Amino acid sequence: LHTQLKKLDSSRSKTIDSKNKQRLVRAIEICKAIGSVPRIDRQSKPNNQQFLQIGIDWPQEKLDQKIKKRLSSRWTAGMINEVKNLRKKYHLSWKKIQLFGLGYFWIPEFLQGKIDKEELKEKVFHAERRYAKRQRTWFKRDKTIVWESNNRKITTMVKRFLNN
């Protein structure tokens, strides 16, 4: 396959993994269809498009309320029963279930009787809260994001941006 590609497009044959059969076959198909594999410039920027990125800067108390509300709806939707059913249907180990995500880490502990329901809810809340804090820290590094909590100011920013 690599030799065949070399005959069709020698420049692409130098940059492709000669052991990757799928890529070689696809490159040969492209060469046969259009003559050569087009070069992709991965450094190019989108057609001078401008973006407005707004981060909603909730106060911690409001963020905590939102996390609690979301968790409450997940509990009501049957998060614990979902784990029970997954374990039963797919014969998953507790360890495997714990890899599913934040809330799922603690549910096996509860189902095995290692923690009670209140402790489960508290641990899941704190895990979600820590995750939200990590997200905020990560996004704060992006200096192109404008952080705001006032809805009127956000609306004004968006209108100005769209009118420019």
Side-chain angles (χ1 to χ4, degrees):
L1 289 174
H2 194 258
T3 305
Q4 191 177 352
L5 179 62
K6 197 174 198 175
K7 289 177 187 172
L8 294 169
D9 187 352
S10 64
S11 63
R12 179 63 178 129
S13 69
K14 293 173 187 170
T15 60
I16 197 166
D17 178 10
S18 63
K19 305 268 190 261
N20 190 328
K21 183 180 176 182
Q22 287 179 314
R23 286 188 187 222
L24 288 167
V25 169
R26 184 68 183 133
I28 291 168
E29 289 171 349
I30 292 170
C31 284
K32 287 181 178 178
I34 63 174
S36 67
V37 178
R39 190 159 156 66
I40 298 173
D41 182 13
R42 297 189 190 278
Q43 300 301 318
S44 66
K45 294 185 179 172
N47 308 322
N48 293 327
Q49 294 175 348
Q50 294 181 337
F51 298 91
L52 174 62
Q53 297 181 80
I54 299 173
I56 301 175
D57 198 11
W58 298 112
Q60 190 61 51
E61 301 80 34
K62 180 130 180 165
L63 189 59
D64 287 350
Q65 287 173 354
K66 288 182 166 294
I67 291 169
K68 284 179 183 174
K69 184 178 178 183
R70 196 170 121 257
L71 282 174
S72 175
S73 67
R74 286 171 66 196
W75 295 126
T76 303
M79 196 172 168
I80 294 172
N81 285 333
E82 179 188 358
V83 171
K84 285 179 186 176
N85 292 336
L86 285 170
R87 181 162 161 82
K88 189 176 185 178
K89 184 175 180 178
Y90 298 105
H91 308 288
L92 299 173
S93 69
W94 293 122
K95 197 169 194 163
K96 185 76 166 178
I97 292 170
Q98 286 180 317
L99 297 174
F100 284 2
L102 295 173
Y104 294 97
F105 182 84
W106 294 106
I107 293 174
E109 300 287 311
F110 167 72
L111 292 174
Q112 294 174 77
K114 294 179 182 177
I115 59 175
D116 63 22
K117 195 165 193 168
E118 287 308 309
E119 193 175 356
L120 167 66
K121 288 182 176 186
E122 192 66 25
K123 286 182 180 286
V124 172
F125 168 72
H126 284 295
E128 295 276 346
R129 192 170 189 249
R130 278 192 306 272
Y131 186 70
K133 186 176 180 177
R134 280 196 312 271
Q135 284 181 318
R136 179 183 279 182
T137 301
W138 191 84
F139 281 113
K140 288 269 185 176
R141 284 190 255 153
D142 186 346
K143 298 304 176 192
T144 61
I145 298 175
V146 179
W147 291 91
E148 186 56 62
S149 59
N150 184 309
N151 287 342
R152 286 193 178 134
K153 287 183 181 179
I154 291 171
T155 303
T156 303
M157 277 192 285
V158 171
K159 284 180 181 176
R160 273 194 210 135
F161 178 79
L162 294 174
N163 290 327
N164 286 340

